[in-house]
Amino acid sequence: MSDQTPPVDVDAAAPVPADTLEPGEVIAERAGLFGAAGSGDTSGYGGLQQQVVFPAESARPYGGYFDAIADALADALAAAGMTWGDVVEKVVIDRGDMTLHIRREHLLPVSQILRDNPDLRFEMCMGVSGVHYPESKDRELHGHYPLLSYTHNRRVNLDVAAPDADPHLPSVVSVWPTNDWHERETYDFFGIVFDGHPALTRIEMPDDWVGHPQRKDYPLGGIPVEYKGASIPPPDQRRGYA
């Protein structure tokens, strides 16, 4: 089957030069490739040190078609009785991508507008990826939604945050039905509960599995798993590593 996804007009969404971006918010210093602790690091990146940085809000003009998206969304929100400041936390233009950070209580109506408004027409949601920032207090879990407009040949991302203590986001399956399995996978691996999903169950791990394996605080090894009667030890105890 050939890929029917239309190419993105690179010139229309040219990336902002790195030296024009505002400095972001450093939320943590991470050691190793995955940032996990409590088990042996067998990745070979145990000495890696890096900052976890949230990009700062971008200033207008955004460039390319990004301003047209912002204007059309602002007009549609006003027509629906909502204000930009109440709905959108910030807009980030980084590495040629536009990300709208949306407050979670407004995710569903914003998704409906982005799909149905004739000036936007983001007919396709490519899924939802979970992200875990354990150091970001009250914003530890994020759902990231890449959207595609076949009509206008444009792309935009939505980012929605939730606290670890209340890991709930609205389901967008009623707007983009193809997100059904994507939301199940993100629930399975990150523990984000998508309210309104028609059947939110695990899709990869067993139903009785404890924990969510792609969270940063999940151990890299040592999970008590039995395979044909044998226990599997932590990775750093299976063999010697230089």
Side-chain angles (χ1 to χ4, degrees), residues 88-106:
V88 181
E89 293 181 336
K90 66 177 180 178
V91 178
V92 174
I93 312 297
D94 190 17
R95 296 171 175 86
D97 282 335
M98 180 184 202
T99 301
L100 304 171
H101 291 255
I102 306 296
R103 292 182 172 84
R104 61 175 171 169
E105 62 269 23
H106 297 296

Side-chain angles (χ1 to χ4, degrees), residues 52-145:
V52 180
V53 182
F54 285 167
E57 182 171 11
S58 300
R60 308 230 11 204
Y62 302 136
Y65 56 71
F66 297 150
D67 291 284
I69 291 175
D71 291 340
L73 179 58
D75 291 343
L77 289 174
M82 296 181 282
T83 65
W84 180 272
D86 289 339
V87 173
V88 181
E89 293 181 336
K90 66 177 180 178
V91 178
V92 174
I93 312 297
D94 190 17
R95 296 171 175 86
D97 282 335
M98 180 184 202
T99 301
L100 304 171
H101 291 255
I102 306 296
R103 292 182 172 84
R104 61 175 171 169
E105 62 269 23
H106 297 296
L107 174 60
L108 198 55
V110 168
S111 298
Q112 196 83 49
I113 290 172
L114 288 169
R115 188 195 69 178
D116 295 343
N117 186 281
D119 294 325
L120 296 166
R121 287 284 191 232
F122 287 95
E123 303 97 338
M124 184 67 182
C125 179
M126 312 302 287
V128 54
S129 298
V131 191
H132 185 210
Y133 299 100
E135 308 88 355
S136 183
K137 183 174 173 53
D138 297 328
R139 297 176 60 85
E140 293 91 349
L141 294 167
H142 288 243
H144 188 81
Y145 304 78

Side-chain angles (χ1 to χ4, degrees), residues 4-19:
Q4 298 300 315
T5 302
V8 174
D9 186 346
V10 176
D11 292 333
V16 179
D19 57 2

Side-chain angles (χ1 to χ4, degrees), residues 25-237:
E25 175 191 3
V26 179
I27 64 168
E29 298 279 347
R30 181 173 296 162
L33 184 62
F34 302 107
S39 61
D41 188 333
T42 62
S43 68
Y45 292 88
L48 183 66
Q49 302 286 328
Q50 58 182 333
Q51 291 182 330
V52 180
V53 182
F54 285 167
E57 182 171 11
S58 300
R60 308 230 11 204
Y62 302 136
Y65 56 71
F66 297 150
D67 291 284
I69 291 175
D71 291 340
L73 179 58
D75 291 343
L77 289 174
M82 296 181 282
T83 65
W84 180 272
D86 289 339
V87 173
V88 181
E89 293 181 336
K90 66 177 180 178
V91 178
V92 174
I93 312 297
D94 190 17
R95 296 171 175 86
D97 282 335
M98 180 184 202
T99 301
L100 304 171
H101 291 255
I102 306 296
R103 292 182 172 84
R104 61 175 171 169
E105 62 269 23
H106 297 296
L107 174 60
L108 198 55
V110 168
S111 298
Q112 196 83 49
I113 290 172
L114 288 169
R115 188 195 69 178
D116 295 343
N117 186 281
D119 294 325
L120 296 166
R121 287 284 191 232
F122 287 95
E123 303 97 338
M124 184 67 182
C125 179
M126 312 302 287
V128 54
S129 298
V131 191
H132 185 210
Y133 299 100
E135 308 88 355
S136 183
K137 183 174 173 53
D138 297 328
R139 297 176 60 85
E140 293 91 349
L141 294 167
H142 288 243
H144 188 81
Y145 304 78
L147 308 182
L148 170 65
S149 170
Y150 287 102
T151 299
H152 301 295
N153 189 22
R154 294 172 174 175
R155 295 179 187 266
V156 72
N157 304 298
L158 303 182
D159 188 282
V160 187
D164 199 4
D166 182 28
H168 290 259
L169 295 180
S171 171
V172 297
V173 171
S174 61
V175 179
W176 294 294
T178 53
N179 247 42
D180 188 331
W181 286 14
H182 294 288
E183 289 183 359
R184 287 181 59 193
E185 184 177 52
T186 302
Y187 160 71
D188 194 352
F189 287 154
F190 289 90
I192 298 176
V193 179
F194 293 93
D195 297 327
H197 189 283
L200 192 63
T201 58
R202 290 187 183 270
I203 193 171
E204 307 246 7
M205 307 302 290
D207 289 340
D208 59 351
W209 192 263
V210 178
H212 304 283
Q214 288 191 346
R215 289 198 182 195
K216 288 293 190 296
D217 53 5
Y218 192 84
L220 289 178
I223 306 301
V225 177
E226 288 190 2
Y227 178 71
K228 294 185 177 181
S231 297
I232 301 178
D236 55 332
Q237 296 178 13

